[in-house]
Amino acid sequence: MQVDDRQLKAFLFEGGLVPRTELDRASKLALERDQPLTETLVQSGVLGDDEMRRTLGAMLGIPFVILESQPLHKESLMRLPEPMARTHNAIIVGVQGQKLEVVFLDTKDIKPVQDFFGSGWTVMPHLTNRASIKYALTQYQKILKELFGNRIAEELRSLERAHQIQDGRGSMEASVRAAEALLQHALHMKAREMHIEPSSQGLRIRYRLGSALYDSMQVPTHAAPFLGARFKSLANIPLTDVLGSGRFKMNAPMGGRNPEEAQNESVTVTVSTIPIILENGPAEKLLLSFVHERSGKNGFSLAALGAAPHTIESIQRLVSHASGLVLVSGVEGSGKTSMLYTLLDECADVSKHMASVEDTVSHVLPGVAQMEIDESVGLTASSCVRAQLKQHPDVLMIDCVLTEEVALLAAQAANRGSLVLLGVEATVAGEGIAQLLALGVEPELLAAVCVGSIGVHTISRLCTHKTLSYKPTRAEQTLLEETIDVKEVIAALKKEHSIDARTVWKDIELRRPIPCPQCEDGFAGLVGLQEVVTMSRTLKELVRAGADTFTLELQAKRDGSMTLAEDALYKGIQGVISADGVLQVAAGYQGRYE
């Protein structure tokens, strides 16, 4: 929600707020500095900070409020995690059904807050001044201090006293209480992850809220070994292991949460540790990931993976089959496991027998019989799959290194009436199908049971706070035109009303990153790219004939499938990924279909 510089100039001049000469001078200076006119007017002293906010509010139809004159309610404040509230200068002052009244200092922070809450909520923005937002944040921090801060600080002081007098029992008891307080604080802040990162100044604790990491607090250095030992003990990780992982369950906090969230019964916490090197020697970094276990769906979402509306529709059609083989094709780090879990969640139904075989169980899902491969005790991939098939699952997810035997068992299970979600190590969707042929699955069987393949890839997501418009060069446009069906991408964006119906290819602009206080390099986390290949009659015939990867890919293109490169351009035009990211993915397709 931004104001065009031309609109701002017209509003200020016509309203008699700023003389024409001052506006012209500021416009020229803004161009020289490559910054918005709003910043230049404030820096030049033409308008004050608060005057500019009131002006923008009036132009955008956003009310301007003073927070000191109205009550602030704990339940409303705590819907937005304090690290996000502090970073984005945003405070929730009211809730009306699925609408949130949020007061901002700057309009640029509206989008990240709306993205955090998702499409189920509508953010109703208000603007305020710097003194008001500072007052509100102070009140919020006082509430959190009463709930958690005093407790955490007291436990850390107890830990320090016990450490100083070498009271081992006292140190252990204090570390238990301190770890519990930290966990409760992280969950109240709606954190997906807690990063515990040692440094020469102490332990830096950051929370992942949505897709970004936010600083939460600093913990004294002496607490590091005690907290690390407590979390490793909870997760059954040997204290001597500096590279390990494990998990434990805890009760979900109930206070300050809405009725839907209050239905959560427990939280699975996955702990992983890695050794790192600091200036003063080796140390240990911990990552705690939180997964809420709900009575129904488990919180996975195709939209959260970055799937476009048309992609979501195609994927949901694939998993709506009562039986068959759905492939998820991707290399390591591509988001293959995340997609498999999301598909499993899409199929979740209390009337179905759900099962999985996994190299490592990343998320414990209620209602799913999950088996983890452990060859040291005889649980090989094939023996786990055979064991699950003896219990006749309706839906079976397989996420492990594929062997000829496992590939054949998966195809046979699909042929006997199960819906099998199978992870395949492959760069694109068509290659995933060819991989099963290469592993010895009979072409006739594969053609009969395979309903489709989903190719996945992850790429850096642009930070939403500040980006730079970029017009591709003629050479770059040519690369995109040679590797991407540009017309199909633009048509999809128009159909979904993401761009104006009159937009043509020559007008398209992409975005480039600009580092800002909210990010280090202009990027904020990762987003997925997806392609969906549905098995058409022609494609099935090619599988029966044992066609190679590129023949299958070419036919999928003829059938109308959008490639990963086309999904990259789709997200590039929307400003989700950078121009360089789009070009990098497109370059991988150069000459692929010649």
Side-chain angles (χ1 to χ4, degrees):
M1 191 176 283
Q2 299 293 330
V3 171
D4 182 85
D5 283 355
R6 288 174 297 180
Q7 293 174 320
L8 178 60
K9 284 178 66 176
F11 185 87
L12 293 172
F13 177 70
E14 291 167 7
L17 300 174
V18 180
R20 171 70 73 184
T21 52
E22 289 277 10
L23 287 170
D24 290 341
R25 189 180 304 116
S27 295
K28 184 178 179 182
L29 194 56
L31 285 172
E32 291 173 359
R33 294 177 178 177
D34 189 26
Q35 66 180 189
L37 180 59
T38 51
E39 291 182 25
T40 307
L41 288 167
V42 172
Q43 290 174 5
S44 303
V46 177
L47 287 176
D49 231 3
D50 290 346
E51 286 180 289
M52 180 57 73
R53 290 193 186 91
R54 287 183 182 274
T55 299
L56 293 175
M59 290 183 68
L60 295 168
I62 299 175
F64 193 93
V65 298
I66 300 297
L67 293 172
E68 291 92 331
S69 62
Q70 59 179 287
L72 299 173
H73 302 289
K74 179 178 75 173
E75 294 76 16
S76 296
L77 291 173
M78 290 186 68
R79 286 177 179 270
L80 184 67
E82 190 275 338
M84 283 197 76
R86 177 167 24 94
T87 299
H88 298 297
N89 287 304
I91 288 289
I92 297 180
V93 295
V95 183
Q96 302 173 18
Q98 294 300 109
K99 295 180 179 179
L100 300 169
E101 293 183 64
V102 189
V103 178
F104 294 91
L105 191 62
D106 197 310
T107 56
K108 68 179 173 56
D109 292 297
I110 296 173
K111 187 177 187 304
V113 171
Q114 177 65 76
D115 288 347
F116 174 74
F117 286 104
S119 58
W121 292 88
T122 300
V123 168
M124 301 167 63
H126 299 60
L127 287 175
T128 192
N129 58 33
R130 197 171 295 278
S132 265
I133 207 75
K134 184 177 180 180
Y135 161 79
L137 287 171
T138 301
Q139 299 307 306
Y140 190 0
Q141 286 156 359
K142 283 181 180 177
I143 291 169
L144 290 178
K145 188 174 181 181
E146 291 172 5
L147 288 172
F148 302 104
N150 291 337
R151 180 185 169 196
I152 292 172
E154 178 56 37
E155 300 305 348
L156 291 173
R157 283 194 293 270
S158 299
L159 186 56
E160 183 175 15
R161 287 194 295 268
H163 176 60
Q164 287 173 346
I165 63 175
Q166 297 183 339
D167 178 3
R169 182 180 179 82
S171 295
M172 182 179 69
E173 291 175 350
S175 68
V176 168
R177 296 192 299 268
E180 173 66 19
L182 284 172
L183 288 168
Q184 292 294 331
H185 183 259
L187 291 173
H188 269 279
M189 291 297 98
K190 303 180 179 67
R192 289 172 47 209
E193 297 172 352
M194 174 164 47
H195 292 244
I196 303 177
E197 304 166 341
S199 69
S200 55
Q201 289 78 42
L203 285 180
R204 180 190 188 192
I205 295 183
R206 296 194 292 167
Y207 296 156
R208 186 174 297 282
L209 307 169
S211 62
L213 282 171
Y214 294 83
D215 279 319
S216 175
M217 65 186 80
Q218 196 85 6
V219 173
T221 303
H222 67 80
F226 298 101
L227 290 174
R230 176 56 182 165
F231 288 130
K232 289 169 79 170
S233 175
L234 285 169
N236 291 315
I237 302 172
L239 297 182
T240 54
D241 286 6
V242 292
L243 186 65
S245 65
R247 66 178 66 85
F248 63 92
K249 283 191 176 183
M250 61 179 290
N251 292 330
M254 306 300 286
R257 296 156 66 230
N258 61 38
E260 290 79 14
E261 291 172 321
Q263 291 174 6
N264 292 333
E265 297 174 357
S266 64
V267 177
T268 296
V269 185
T270 301
V271 181
S272 62
T273 69
I274 60 169
I276 62 173
I277 299 297
L278 301 178
E279 291 177 358
N280 55 352
E284 193 173 38
K285 178 185 181 296
L286 275 75
L287 169 63
L288 280 69
S289 302
F290 305 102
V291 177
H292 288 262
E293 296 187 2
R294 297 177 170 84
S295 56
K297 295 274 185 173
N298 296 289
F300 295 94
S301 159
L302 290 167
L305 295 182
H310 59 270
T311 304
I312 293 174
E313 289 178 13
S314 299
I315 291 174
Q316 288 175 337
R317 280 196 294 271
L318 289 185
V319 297
S320 67
H321 287 77
S323 64
L325 184 64
V326 177
L327 309 180
V328 177
S329 306
V331 297
E332 187 175 352
S334 64
K336 174 160 56 77
T337 296
S338 295
M339 177 59 77
L340 283 166
Y341 273 108
T342 304
L343 297 185
L344 194 62
D345 199 44
E346 284 283 329
C347 299
D349 188 325
V350 292
S351 66
K352 292 180 180 178
H353 174 195
M354 314 281 293
S356 75
V357 173
E358 306 171 54
D359 266 330
T360 302
V361 173
S362 303
H363 302 282
V364 178
L365 304 179
V368 181
Q370 295 172 268
M371 288 188 72
E372 190 170 82
I373 295 166
D374 186 351
E375 295 190 357
S376 65
V377 294
L379 292 176
T380 64
S382 56
S383 68
C384 286
V385 172
R386 288 183 184 279
Q388 291 285 29
L389 292 179
K390 285 180 181 178
Q391 299 201 351
H392 312 294
D394 295 300
V395 181
L396 174 63
M397 180 195 50
I398 302 174
D399 184 22
C400 63
V401 176
L402 274 190
T403 62
E404 292 182 8
E405 186 176 8
V406 171
L408 181 58
L409 286 170
Q412 289 172 340
N415 197 39
R416 288 199 298 266
S418 296
L419 179 64
V420 180
L421 312 172
L422 180 65
V424 184
E425 189 81 10
T427 55
V428 294
E431 185 181 339
I433 301 170
Q435 284 277 39
L436 290 196
L437 290 172
L439 284 168
V441 177
E442 285 295 324
E444 191 67 39
L445 174 60
L446 184 59
V449 300
C450 186
V451 295
S453 179
I454 304 165
V456 293
H457 178 72
T458 53
I459 194 166
S460 296
R461 181 195 290 270
L462 279 172
C463 175
T464 57
H465 290 87
K466 202 170 185 181
T467 57
L468 183 67
S469 178
Y470 177 73
K471 184 77 174 177
T473 64
R474 185 56 210 150
E476 290 168 341
Q477 284 182 333
T478 300
L479 167 64
L480 295 174
E481 290 162 2
E482 288 176 349
T483 56
I484 291 173
D485 189 336
V486 172
K487 290 182 180 178
E488 184 181 7
V489 174
I490 292 176
L493 287 162
K494 289 179 179 178
K495 184 179 179 182
E496 292 160 11
H497 305 291
S498 295
I499 59 174
D500 189 270
R502 295 166 294 181
T503 304
V504 294
W505 171 232
K506 67 181 180 65
D507 299 329
I508 291 295
E509 290 187 345
L510 302 177
R511 311 297 298 177
R512 276 194 159 160
I514 299 179
C516 69
Q518 281 72 40
C519 64
E520 295 180 358
D521 55 4
F523 295 99
L526 299 171
V527 67
L529 303 179
Q530 299 87 19
E531 60 176 354
V532 182
V533 171
T534 303
M535 294 296 286
S536 66
R537 184 178 298 176
T538 307
L539 206 48
K540 286 178 179 289
E541 290 301 323
L542 289 174
V543 170
R544 287 190 181 94
D548 60 22
T549 299
F550 294 122
T551 304
L552 296 174
E553 287 183 45
L554 190 57
Q555 183 57 46
K557 274 297 302 162
R558 289 170 179 156
D559 290 340
S561 296
M562 284 183 68
T563 66
L564 291 172
E566 283 155 2
D567 195 37
L569 179 60
Y570 176 95
K571 291 180 170 75
I573 294 172
Q574 289 185 315
V576 176
I577 69 174
S578 70
D580 290 339
V582 175
L583 294 166
Q584 179 186 3
V585 178
Y589 277 77
Q590 204 164 19
R592 197 172 185 96
Y593 302 120
E594 292 176 359

